[in-house]
Amino acid sequence: MRSDTTTDSADALDEPVAAGNVRCDACPVLCIIRPGKTGACDRYANLEGKLARVDPLVIAQRVEGPDGKVVRFLDREWNGEMLADAPIFVTGIGSGTTYPDYKPAPFIVASRHAGVDMVTVVTEGIFSYCGVKVKIDTDRFLGPEQAAVRVDGEQIGHVTTAEYGSQMLALGGVRHLTGGTKREGRVTCEALENLCNRHPVEVAIDGGSKVVIQSDAAPIVDGEREERMRVGCGSATIGMFAQQWFGHADEVIVVDDQITGVLSEHQAGRFLSMQPAGIKVRGRKSTPGRYFRVAEPGSGWGGTNVTDPLEIIEHIDPDTAWPGLRLLMVSTTGQQAAWFVLDSQLRPQPAPLPLAIEQAVARIAENCEPARCTVLFMGGAGGSLRAGVTDNPVQLTRSVKDALTRVTCGGAPVFIWPGGGITLMVDVARMPERSFGSVPTPALVVPIEFTLRRDHYAALGGHIGNIVPLEDVLARSHIAATDWRSDNPWPMGAQGDPE
Ligand code: SF4
């Protein structure tokens, strides 16, 4: 099968559909699909004259596996058997969309949990207002804050505020999806879908680097795979390891783009009664032993542009320093380290790292966590999508805020932002693979489930007449099963209750 669409006209619903063709009304594109073909998004097809969702509906079974990991849902078709003690959760993946939103969601499923009647409203929401927040564990300079992030030359987002040991990108959003050119919207949508489906995407940052981003994988910056996330800033590194360096070095300088630490001046060195070493570093002194901007950002030592650490030494005070002074310069990941001894002219002379110092540097590296990319999908379910759940949408928002309704995406827990609407964030690594789709409006298609007690559902004006028993859903022919991920809380329990 291949895509074969013929219309996106606003008047399309009034146009006759030729014999054998079907009209898909699951999104505003309103494709007319010929027999045996799929619509523009490849999600719906004309199967023997009937509109059908192509992908299987994914159910998750809470089976205690040895590793508790989700298997690829398309690898295993459901064989129709229910495991006696394996509760089943119907995810939004493959469930389809009802458009316009006043129609009830595709599945409103009844089930029982711990003797309580529950309802799960299941749909694939279409999100034009959405994007991803990407956390990239690296000290390397990826690009200036606010710089454009591009794919195939199109801006899909920007560099935002760095966090502790990580660079952050804000990608997507309605401005790039719909506010620019058609190509910008298409490229943005494709990049978001790939990122959310945990595929690698290479981005180019204006004035910075090329980075390959992939959920739960190490970032690749300008062709180099990042190994470690820094243990902390230069000052924190001194705080952690000062005791272990004491007695083996007369001075330790931890080179860091944000806060470079100088041991003998630092509070940690003072507590250890270290003798001042008289080695002054460049940059702006913040507090004793803590210096900002000792160099420019870059891909060198500690996220600076420094390749020779001696560059950051401004001067050595002859009244304080002494010949034979032992100096360790090290980065915040321990990936770079150099040992110097001052000669009779107080010039630092490189020397091999003594064993104790080698071990101390290895300890820094040991404390660095593996560098990873984290991709959080963020979108607003507070719009018309709520009408598929209840005829009084604000009641759903209140129910979510009151923790009576649990929101999940493909069964994964979400963080709901305080304030208006249902603005959620979810770690795509906790969702089954290939959970996301897209439509050419352009927008992302995202599985979303609302789970609550049946009496609460009735109270908020839910579509009670459309509730179907779980058994009816399971009787559908096109279902795929996946194991429940053991680190995801079971949505039927109370909020925060893993059962
Ligand atoms: S793009 Fe997909 S969901 Fe939208 S009308 Fe076409 S086939 Fe249906």
Side-chain angles (χ1 to χ4, degrees):
M1 272 188 306
R2 60 181 174 75
S3 297
D4 195 356
T5 59
T6 60
T7 182
D8 60 359
S9 161
D11 297 326
L13 278 175
D14 300 329
E15 294 173 5
V17 178
N21 291 351
V22 294
R23 187 195 323 272
C24 177
D25 60 358
C27 93
V29 177
L30 297 174
C31 298
I32 294 175
I33 310 173
R34 293 184 192 154
K37 302 291 172 64
T38 60
C41 65
D42 286 336
R43 297 168 55 239
Y44 284 90
N46 178 345
L47 292 184
E48 296 171 357
K50 287 200 173 132
L51 184 68
R53 182 72 176 86
V54 172
D55 304 301
L57 173 69
V58 176
I59 60 167
Q61 294 176 313
R62 196 168 55 154
V63 182
E64 294 299 326
D67 56 7
K69 283 184 182 166
V70 170
V71 295
R72 289 183 59 196
F73 56 84
L74 290 179
D75 285 351
R76 179 150 59 88
E77 291 287 326
W78 184 58
N79 63 8
E81 290 177 11
M82 285 181 66
L83 299 178
D85 296 320
I88 287 178
F89 183 75
V90 179
T91 77
I93 304 163
S95 66
T97 307
T98 45
Y99 181 83
D101 301 294
Y102 63 76
K103 295 184 200 166
F107 295 99
I108 303 178
V109 187
S111 61
R112 276 180 82 74
H113 173 76
V116 177
D117 286 328
M118 305 291 294
V119 170
T120 301
V121 183
V122 175
T123 190
E124 287 179 305
I126 296 182
F127 288 74
S128 303
Y129 291 82
C130 71
V132 297
K133 309 296 178 211
V134 183
K135 171 174 167 283
I136 302 172
D137 300 335
T138 183
D139 271 349
R140 288 177 215 264
F141 174 70
L142 301 184
E145 203 169 296
Q146 301 179 9
V149 177
R150 299 180 189 278
V151 169
D152 293 340
E154 297 290 347
Q155 183 175 1
I156 67 160
H158 63 272
V159 177
T160 187
T161 322
E163 298 298 345
Y164 198 77
S166 307
Q167 312 294 332
M168 304 291 292
L169 308 181
L171 306 181
V174 72
R175 191 170 79 78
H176 295 298
L177 281 170
T178 68
T181 63
K182 206 167 176 179
R183 185 171 188 273
E184 179 180 338
R186 184 177 54 73
V187 171
T188 300
C189 189
E190 197 176 303
L192 293 181
E193 185 180 350
N194 280 327
L195 284 170
C196 289
N197 281 332
R198 316 212 294 257
H199 300 148
V201 171
E202 183 176 89
V203 300
I205 299 174
D206 285 4
S209 307
K210 283 190 174 167
V211 189
V212 177
I213 306 162
Q214 183 175 15
S215 168
D216 206 27
I220 299 170
V221 183
D222 291 328
E224 259 186 70
R225 183 174 295 274
E226 188 63 282
E227 297 295 335
R228 299 179 204 149
M229 181 180 183
R230 73 177 183 178
V231 67
C233 68
S235 172
T237 307
I238 282 185
M240 278 183 262
F241 300 111
Q243 183 85 53
Q244 297 172 41
W245 298 328
F246 184 60
H248 300 294
D250 301 307
E251 185 62 286
V252 178
I253 298 173
V254 184
V255 183
D256 176 29
D257 176 44
Q258 280 128 22
I259 308 175
T260 288
V262 180
L263 175 61
S264 68
E265 298 176 28
H266 194 275
Q267 192 77 348
R270 301 265 179 95
F271 273 128
L272 293 167
S273 303
M274 284 189 72
Q275 186 180 343
I279 300 176
K280 299 292 173 199
V281 299
R282 298 184 193 283
R284 179 161 65 83
K285 185 172 178 176
S286 161
T287 53
R290 300 169 74 251
Y291 291 82
F292 299 158
R293 300 295 302 271
V294 296
E296 292 302 313
S299 295
W301 282 53
T304 68
N305 62 349
V306 162
T307 50
D308 174 4
L310 295 179
E311 284 173 39
I312 70 162
I313 293 181
E314 194 165 74
H315 73 274
I316 296 177
D317 179 3
D319 295 333
T320 313
W322 62 93
L325 185 152
R326 301 162 301 168
L327 167 65
L328 169 66
M329 299 192 77
V330 65
S331 68
T332 45
T333 56
Q335 278 167 306
Q336 296 104 343
W339 180 251
F340 301 95
V341 179
L342 298 195
D343 65 14
S344 58
Q345 307 295 308
L346 301 182
R347 291 173 305 205
Q349 299 298 340
L353 266 65
L355 182 62
I357 291 297
E358 242 179 56
Q359 288 169 344
V361 170
R363 178 60 60 87
I364 296 176
E366 182 190 338
N367 275 270
C368 294
E369 294 172 75
R372 282 281 174 274
C373 299
T374 310
V375 176
L376 297 191
F377 167 80
M378 182 166 173
S384 56
L385 185 149
R386 295 172 299 172
V389 181
T390 163
D391 54 19
N392 191 6
V394 73
Q395 294 273 32
L396 177 64
T397 312
R398 290 181 188 143
S399 179
V400 169
K401 295 286 158 65
D402 291 343
L404 299 176
T405 295
R406 172 171 264 166
V407 186
T408 49
C409 284
V414 305
F415 171 79
I416 303 283
W417 279 72
I422 304 173
T423 305
L424 59 87
M425 287 201 302
V426 58
D427 180 359
V428 302
R430 298 180 74 168
M431 298 172 66
E433 288 178 8
R434 305 201 319 244
S435 291
F436 290 76
S438 64
V439 290
T441 54
L444 280 198
V445 178
V446 184
I448 186 164
E449 307 93 26
F450 301 91
T451 301
L452 67 169
R453 281 169 43 162
R454 187 179 178 129
D455 55 340
H456 290 156
Y457 189 50
L460 62 77
H463 303 300
I464 292 289
N466 294 86
I467 296 176
V468 293
L470 178 61
E471 292 73 18
D472 283 11
V473 177
L474 298 179
R476 286 172 53 107
S477 58
H478 200 199
I479 283 185
T482 183
D483 294 333
W484 186 260
R485 213 181 131 122
S486 62
D487 57 346
N488 284 344
W490 187 242
M492 302 290 177
Q495 297 278 28
D497 172 7
E499 293 306 308

